[in-house]
Amino acid sequence: VQIVRRAVRGIQTAQQTDRDTITRLLYSLGTKKEVERHLRIFSAASHPSHPAKFAVIKVGGAVLEQLDELALSLSFLYRVGLYPVVLHGGGPQLNDIIEREGVVPDYIDGIRVTDAKTLQVARRVFLEENLKLVAALEKLGTRARPITSGVFTADYLDKDKYQLVGKITRVDKRPLEASIRAGALPILTSLAESPEGQILNVNADIAAGELAKELEPMKIVFLNEKGGLFHGVTGEKLDIINLDEEYDQLMKEPWVKYGTKLKLREFKELLEHLPRTSSVAVISASSLQKELFTDSGAGTLIRRGYKLFK
Ligand code: ARG
């Protein structure tokens, strides 16, 4: 019996204690009724015939640094029988290394210009980060599978402008479904292959979006450090954004800056491709449970209209 002591009031990997701990933790989040309702809704989303419809979780590079928090939150979902598809970035880790080697990171419109040297380091760094996350999960008794190729096929986005950057043209969900059916969380990096087998770098937010369009999950979760999206003037956390009613106005706000605009546009485009019951959440790793299993949530919820669940 391996006992893992740490945060979130301690998740233990022994059979019965584990169940009790998880149950207690679950019911400490909100009322029994709301927690059970959310658990029911999310459990119903995935089915043996389409097991990857609960959630796509995009883990930003900075969140990978909070490895224990992250592994605990994902393990929690696993323990209650929910299997998210996890996709991670690695931007900050990559910048650290290439800068040390004297390469200056170069971005155009938020996309990393990826030359051969950068790709070489990116591949090594992303695979390392992937293994680190998988190992942290396995250490908590959560089965996880590194899936580091064979899911995303891409063409060059614009070879002259961005060099070795891909635009995803196909997503093969079979490796992800196979992983979940076998009882392991699929953990993906955002590298793609061209039809000829050339590895191409893909922005992780964009890859998460393409993954979501293929899987049509209930939730698309973007884990960030700040735990949500924030009002540019008041600094307050934005609770819910109803795109149907608020998008145009929001995009006109002077405080909605370049990065936020890009995200909102991405969320809107993504949700337009998904059933109305799907929604996006922006949340920190440590508050993920509260966001998912309570009515009030903890981060920012973005949806098309008012009706969240039919
Ligand atoms: N738990 C529900 C969900 O995941 C509601 C979350 C509400 N979140 C918020 N930030 N207001 O869909």
Side-chain angles (χ1 to χ4, degrees), residues 280-297:
V280 168
V282 182
I283 185 70
S284 66
S286 56
S287 299
L288 176 61
Q289 299 94 306
K290 196 158 168 47
E291 174 60 29
L292 291 179
F293 296 105
T294 65
D295 291 330
S296 53

Side-chain angles (χ1 to χ4, degrees), residues 38 42 219 238-240 279 281 290-301 308-309:
H38 286 105
F42 294 140
K219 302 291 306 191
L238 302 171
D239 177 24
I240 300 183
S279 59
K290 196 158 168 47
E291 174 60 29
L292 291 179
F293 296 105
T294 65
D295 291 330
S296 53
T300 304
L301 173 77
L308 184 50
F309 299 122

Side-chain angles (χ1 to χ4, degrees), residues 45-55 83-85 176-178 180-181:
S46 47
H47 180 271
S49 67
H50 47 77
K53 278 191 181 297
F54 157 50
Y83 291 80
V85 173
L176 316 175
E177 293 183 337
I180 294 176
R181 283 203 187 92

Side-chain angles (χ1 to χ4, degrees), residues 103-302:
V103 181
V104 181
D106 182 13
Y107 295 87
I108 302 177
D109 305 330
I111 301 290
R112 182 193 297 276
V113 177
T114 308
D115 61 9
K117 171 76 183 170
T118 303
L119 184 67
Q120 182 192 354
V121 181
R123 188 165 169 272
R124 193 181 80 222
V125 172
F126 294 170
L127 295 183
E128 232 158 68
E129 293 299 322
N130 186 283
L131 286 181
K132 261 205 277 187
L133 177 53
V134 168
L137 288 166
E138 292 279 354
K139 204 170 134 205
L140 294 175
T142 300
R143 292 198 47 215
R145 247 183 217 188
I147 300 185
T148 57
S149 68
V151 171
F152 300 114
T153 304
D155 290 332
Y156 286 86
L157 178 60
D158 180 336
K159 201 172 180 177
D160 294 329
K161 197 167 169 188
Y162 304 109
Q163 303 185 50
L164 297 163
V165 171
K167 177 179 172 48
I168 294 172
T169 53
R170 213 170 59 88
V171 176
D172 189 350
K173 63 182 176 184
R174 290 174 305 169
L176 316 175
E177 293 183 337
S179 171
I180 294 176
R181 283 203 187 92
L185 301 186
I187 313 293
L188 284 77
T189 50
S190 68
L191 290 171
E193 299 99 46
S194 75
E196 303 78 36
Q198 169 67 51
I199 291 173
L200 296 171
N201 191 17
V202 180
N203 174 283
D205 285 318
I206 293 172
E210 292 303 320
L211 195 56
K213 283 182 201 164
E214 179 66 27
L215 296 173
E216 303 194 319
M218 278 232 88
K219 302 291 306 191
I220 305 97
V221 179
F222 291 84
L223 295 182
N224 74 1
E225 278 182 303
K226 292 189 221 139
L229 298 178
F230 292 80
H231 192 288
V233 175
T234 65
E236 268 174 71
K237 180 155 62 203
L238 302 171
D239 177 24
I240 300 183
I241 299 174
N242 294 300
L243 292 172
D244 288 350
E245 292 89 1
E246 297 170 54
Y247 181 78
D248 293 335
Q249 186 54 41
L250 213 48
M251 293 298 270
K252 280 188 225 145
E253 296 285 344
W255 57 264
V256 176
K257 292 273 151 54
Y258 182 70
T260 314
K261 266 208 174 80
L262 211 69
K263 282 204 184 80
L264 288 174
R265 197 171 297 134
E266 240 169 66
F267 294 161
K268 181 173 155 64
E269 198 258 340
L270 168 59
L271 288 175
E272 272 164 3
H273 281 85
L274 298 178
R276 289 196 80 88
T277 41
S278 296
S279 59
V280 168
V282 182
I283 185 70
S284 66
S286 56
S287 299
L288 176 61
Q289 299 94 306
K290 196 158 168 47
E291 174 60 29
L292 291 179
F293 296 105
T294 65
D295 291 330
S296 53
T300 304
L301 173 77
I302 302 103

